[in-house]
Amino acid sequence: MEPGAVLRGRGVSPGRVAAPVVHVAPPLPEPDAETVVAPDEREAEVSAIEWAAVAVADQLRSRTAQATGEARAILDASRLLASDPELVSEATELVRAQGRTAARAVWETSATHEKALLALGGRMAERAADIRDVRDRIIAEILRVDLPGVPERDEPFVLVATDLSPADTATLDGGRCVALVTEQGGPTSHTAIIARSLGLPAVVGLAGALAISEGTTVLVDGERGTVTVDPDEVDVASARAASTVVTFDGRGRLADGTRLPLLANVGGASDAASAAAAQAEGVGLFRTEFCFLGRVDAPTIDEQVEAYRGVLAAFPGRKVVVRTLDAGSDKPLPFANADHEDNPALGVRGLRIARRNPALLDDQLRALARAADAESAEVEVMAPMVATVEEAREFAERCHAAGLDRVGIMIETPAAALLAAELFEVVDFVSLGTNDLAQYTLAADRLLSDLGELNDPWQPAVLRLIGMVGAAGRAAGKPVGVCGEAGGDPALAPVLVGLGVTSLSMTPRALGRVAAALDAVTVEDCRRMAEAAAGAPTAAEARAAVTHAG
């Protein structure tokens, strides 16, 4: 591939890292289908299947005992598959009735189960990887060969594969793997779940990933869903600096003592636990759609209450800002979105789903109110994709009717930014979603790698809109947060503060670096840097202007 080539997949775990590629070894070859086992030798083949299944289940049980959190649950599910009497009985019947070898019988039986799961679609289809993993483990045990898996390296590497088995992804913790790239998989695949829980940037569904030669340095951007082949040294240095975890002491502040709360973006209970361990001061963005992904129908109110309480419990007495369901565009849900929209980024997404299905929003608000009553976190609720004052007013009324007091909105559209003063008359706070604000301001689909330079929060047009919102917030005496990826950029953080932002929310790994950057500047420094950046004609000149102003 050409140096600098940018490949596009689906970002499922944020972060930017650069490291050489290492491929997962290919799966075991398909066992011979021509060999027929003699009748007097078939019981020995049957015994081989039974003993191999037991051995694999024991191995996975051992791994499960060493794992924690979601990794433990995933490994336990694989153990149950290996212990499935139906899989073993079907395979042994093929041996007895048709003379298949033990390895071939397991292969054919697994193929039948895999096909059935793929036909179901959605989350069940993603379980096909579990079947293949257990199949290969049993066959490797039968043939007494080593199973290909995640390689061991002394230096950091980006792991590239067709897909990753649950057992392999669960063993990544503590290794030298710094990012994951797969050709298959979706937002609810085990690769995605484990990557998020371990804080590893990940891009899935990347066509052509295996064509990247082993040893090639790549830059993985888990937010944008891109993989850059042989990036230039400036980008490599930037990514490596960004991937360094700096300890956060739990108190964001400027050099002059001005407080600036640093919060975390989370998608569920395990994310919240990690954020609390990183000493985040609260949650600035709880992405509730991660509790809905992979389902063909909406979760019940009771199911939602349980999921929400898992996040709130991690931050007793502290702020948790909950974003209502943001389905649509790159995160469609079958029960919320149409099967097809010609332009989903400009379609029925976010709060607009309530136009079609008001009960979905009302149920979520009731569930959030119940969860808030059951926990001590300070719950604030905000709606995504607001464009008008009428939308904001109606959302606030529905929240209050459900028993939720603190209500806000996301500023993701230029319309909302331009109406910020009027919006502050009907809501208590706003939070800037810089990813979508850049997309809609520059009219550049954030999923298109060809337009990556336009989807940049350093674009002066985006900075000027943020400045308008900040000014409206100061006039109203109300908070203005940032929960887009821009909030985790140490270079941009002082600029955002100078534009009027009063809190920043980010991936927990970025907390220390952002805190260090803010601790080196005063309020006046921030205002000077903001004026220089917003007054520049281009994104590149905005960056340069801040460097000189600092």
Side-chain angles (χ1 to χ4, degrees), residues 58-73 75-76 79 167 170-174 198:
D58 285 344
Q59 293 163 9
L60 290 170
R61 185 178 295 107
S62 176
R63 283 193 172 189
T64 301
Q66 299 172 23
T68 59
E70 294 182 70
R72 186 185 186 109
L75 283 169
D76 200 46
R79 177 189 62 80
T171 62
L172 292 170
D173 194 11
L198 297 179

Side-chain angles (χ1 to χ4, degrees), residues 74 176 251 269 297 481:
I74 289 170
R176 301 296 286 162
R251 188 173 174 82
D297 53 3

Side-chain angles (χ1 to χ4, degrees), residues 175-199:
R176 301 296 286 162
C177 176
V178 295
L180 304 176
V181 177
T182 62
E183 289 197 337
Q184 299 176 4
T188 61
S189 65
H190 293 312
T191 300
I193 294 169
I194 295 296
R196 287 193 290 267
S197 70
L198 297 179

